[in-house]
Amino acid sequence: MAGKGGVGKTTLGATIGLAAARSGRDTLAVELEGHSSLGRPFGVGTLAYHDIELHREASTGGRLRARRITPDEALVEYLGSHGLERISGRLLRNGTVDVVSTAAPGIRDLLALGKIRQLEESGEADLIIVDAPAAGHALTFLRAPAGLAGSSTSGPIREQALGALALLNDDKRCQVMLVALPEDTPVNELIETAYSLEEEVGVKLGPMVLNGCWPELAGLEVELSRLEAGPIRTKIGKARAEAARHRLQRISAQRIQSRRLSAELALPLLHLPFLFTTDITLRELTMLADALDDELTRLPYLGSPTEPS
Amino acid sequence: MRQLLTRSQVIVCLGPGGVGKTTTAAAIALAGARRGRRAVVLTIDPAHRLADAVGLSDGLTNEPRQLDGAWSGELWAAMLDPRVTFEAIINAQSKDSGQAERILSNRLFQHLTSSLSGTNEFMASERLLDLHLDPRFDLVVIDTPPSRHAVDFLDSPDRLVRFVDHRLYRTVLAPQRGLRGVMNAAGQMAVRTMGRVVGSDLLTDVIEFFNAFQGMDEGFRQRASRSAEILRSAATGYVLVTSPRSDPIDAARWLATAMADRQLPVALVIANRLTPQELVGPHRIRADSTAALDVNLAQLATLARAERDLIEALGRELALPTSLVDEQTIPVSSLAAIAIIADQLDDLPEG
């Protein structure tokens, strides 16, 4: 999941995770920032480096787990698996890791990607959902392997960088879903990010998602124009008109943004509804997963990375 | 807000992604210009949104551009270009053009400035120092990247100082002249270990890069110390920007804690994108009304109230004043929209 901050990447990750679990897949959601709210709708607070089960779907046997990956923890694990367990703690404590990653900052991104790749290769789950850093940083994050592969000709960093590149460049293993809100700036950013990702990272783009689309309300427009035909004197009348204009304006703006996205990028586009609430609980997440299922049935067959035999 | 606008030399806008930090930073700078300040707003967000926000279609550069408008002070806007900033510092600090050339052509430098995260944050604090010292401006407003990266930005000067002072850097990455070749056993051991971890040729690049820096690290160190001083100065004000949803509120709470840990006090919480005040009510809607107008108003009023409750609770919890800004009905990609936000932040008396 990638997109500008605040467009609902994390919520979308949880929605897809829930939908996938309901359909019987063993799903793992991964967060990278260290303080995401991925588990919140399921009543789980901070995520840990090991995975926690968020949801189990008895009827299908599918489930959703979540965990975090931080570069420091990934490094300790990597060193441990290369026979350097004893020094790994010391390297962290005495600041060596800090110095190395200051000298070559992309190393932190590569460590996180390397861990994701290891999870994918070991068959840890049927589907791994990664909550990427916000747009600008998602690009630097996904560009790190190419940057580091180009700057070293041998050694473990190059191996790791090439491994991560192989994952990113194989559309059967990895796709990026871009998310936006139906507003000018997030849509601009989605389009820019899409071009940069295709050109500079060579990663396959999956369906785009337009989050927070205001649902239409039958009759609202007609009722508003009837109200506006005469003078509006009462307080409640003014509030009714104001609220109706507020919603109609958003609906018209999102139509424009939806058309722009479809015109600019030849990718399937999914719409998820705006929910009139400040918090996403399991109830809202279920509504979103239902909406996602509906949207998916309207799409042509997208193909599956693991074709059932 | 008024105190911040009249007394601060630097205002830093922090907050999670997507809450309108860039627009808020521009609005604060504009409000400053209205109060006669010579204000410059710098965006360090790699997502390049300030140009949109101030309606400059042909973009912004590292060099501030002045924006015209009806205010008594001045309003300038710039966007951080890490590469240009890095090159400028290297050219200014190097002993001769040969040294500058060696650094600029180093492979590691090439991708440090083009593709790797972390560099932006370092360069942002460098740029903040430049603009702060620039006699053209008396107020620098900076927009920061989202949450965790904002903290990286605040930490970067100290981190650079720690880096240059670290034993490993002193003995391995940039041994002083005369000491090279007599690296002690601990140094050799460290090089071998790092070689196993990162690969020896990358390490060679790193060492070459820092060797090319001979004599310049002290300059960098001094600048970083100055930046760190500015960030800790009483003339620097921190504003926490958020929006009325539980996720950004959580992120704002996390940031407030991270700031408190660093003893950098947040002065104000600005909540953006609220459902307009007029819709809060209470409204006398008949509960059984099926009219679309009523259904819609009830939905929006409930939302508007929940949003205000959420912000109020955050303000109480953090013991900070809050400033509410309604969601804009005109696109924010214009100076006019930014002026409206500036009005809501600072109701300046006429004149």
Side-chain angles (χ1 to χ4, degrees), chain B:
Chain B
M1 190 73 233
R2 206 158 302 167
Q3 277 198 3
L4 272 180
L5 286 175
T6 49
R7 292 188 196 161
S8 303
Q9 289 168 10
V10 175
I11 297 176
V12 183
C13 296
L14 305 154
V19 297
K21 272 190 305 297
T22 307
T23 316
T24 305
I28 291 174
L30 195 152
R34 281 181 180 167
R35 288 186 172 271
R37 306 291 301 268
R38 285 173 285 117
V40 59
V41 51
L42 170 72
T43 182
I44 69 173
D45 192 329
H48 304 182
R49 285 190 301 267
L50 187 62
D52 282 358
V54 297
L56 281 179
S57 53
D58 50 343
L60 283 168
T61 58
N62 212 43
E63 189 46 40
R65 282 179 60 178
Q66 189 166 6
L67 307 175
D68 296 322
W71 37 73
S72 54
E74 293 173 12
L75 177 61
W76 300 68
M79 187 178 77
L80 177 75
D81 184 329
R83 173 177 287 263
V84 170
T85 306
F86 211 158
E87 283 179 9
I89 303 164
I90 284 166
N91 283 322
Q93 301 266 331
S94 54
K95 292 191 297 278
D96 51 63
S97 59
Q99 183 182 26
E101 194 65 27
R102 269 201 311 286
I103 295 170
L104 298 179
S105 62
N106 182 290
R107 268 194 306 178
L108 187 66
F109 175 80
Q110 301 284 337
H111 85 232
L112 259 180
T113 51
S114 62
S115 60
L116 300 178
S117 50
T119 315
N120 279 351
E121 284 74 19
F122 284 131
M123 289 307 117
S125 62
E126 284 289 336
R127 197 68 190 126
L128 170 62
L129 180 62
D130 284 340
L131 294 176
H132 179 67
L133 298 176
D134 193 321
R136 286 178 295 175
F137 315 118
D138 62 14
L139 173 64
V140 185
V141 183
I142 49 173
D143 158 38
T144 60
S147 304
R148 194 191 59 145
H149 295 283
V151 175
D152 286 351
F153 159 70
L154 296 172
D155 289 343
S156 67
D158 283 334
R159 199 156 168 230
L160 188 69
V161 171
R162 270 206 310 279
F163 178 68
V164 172
D165 286 346
H166 195 278
R167 188 170 45 91
L168 196 63
Y169 174 80
R170 293 257 180 238
T171 57
V172 179
L173 294 180
Q176 297 304 303
R177 273 182 211 291
L179 275 177
R180 227 176 310 174
V182 290
M183 196 187 287
N184 61 25
Q188 287 173 16
M189 167 78 180
V191 170
R192 272 203 306 276
T193 309
M194 282 168 65
R196 276 172 79 184
V197 179
V198 303
S200 52
D201 63 331
L202 179 66
L203 192 61
T204 311
D205 263 2
V206 172
I207 293 177
E208 257 172 30
F209 177 64
F210 288 105
N211 272 332
F213 259 84
Q214 283 295 338
M216 280 174 59
D217 43 5
E218 198 41 42
F220 264 83
R221 191 187 184 287
Q222 275 170 16
R223 288 181 61 88
S225 304
R226 285 295 304 273
S227 301
E229 259 169 50
I230 295 174
L231 293 176
R232 280 192 209 100
S233 153
T236 297
Y238 292 90
V239 171
L240 192 53
V241 188
T242 189
S243 70
R245 294 290 180 269
S246 48
D247 286 5
I249 293 285
D250 277 355
R253 192 179 289 124
W254 179 87
L255 262 172
T257 315
M259 294 294 289
D261 290 347
R262 288 163 179 75
Q263 295 177 332
L264 300 171
V266 174
L268 176 72
V269 175
I270 296 178
N272 271 329
R273 320 194 59 167
L274 271 88
T275 302
Q277 175 67 38
E278 308 91 83
L279 300 184
V280 173
H283 308 294
R284 274 189 237 187
I285 306 172
R286 287 210 347 248
D288 58 346
S289 173
T290 55
L293 283 174
D294 283 344
V295 173
N296 180 54
L297 178 58
Q299 280 180 333
L300 287 174
T302 312
L303 178 65
R305 275 194 295 273
E307 289 174 356
R308 278 160 181 82
D309 290 347
L310 202 61
I311 301 300
E312 223 171 84
L314 179 74
R316 264 200 313 273
E317 187 188 327
L318 301 178
L320 287 173
T322 56
S323 181
L324 306 183
V325 179
D326 285 349
E327 174 143 28
Q328 299 304 301
T329 44
I330 54 173
V332 290
S333 52
S334 70
L335 214 46
I338 289 170
I340 293 172
I341 298 172
D343 290 340
Q344 294 196 34
L345 287 174
D346 178 31
D347 34 6
L348 185 71
E350 286 305 311

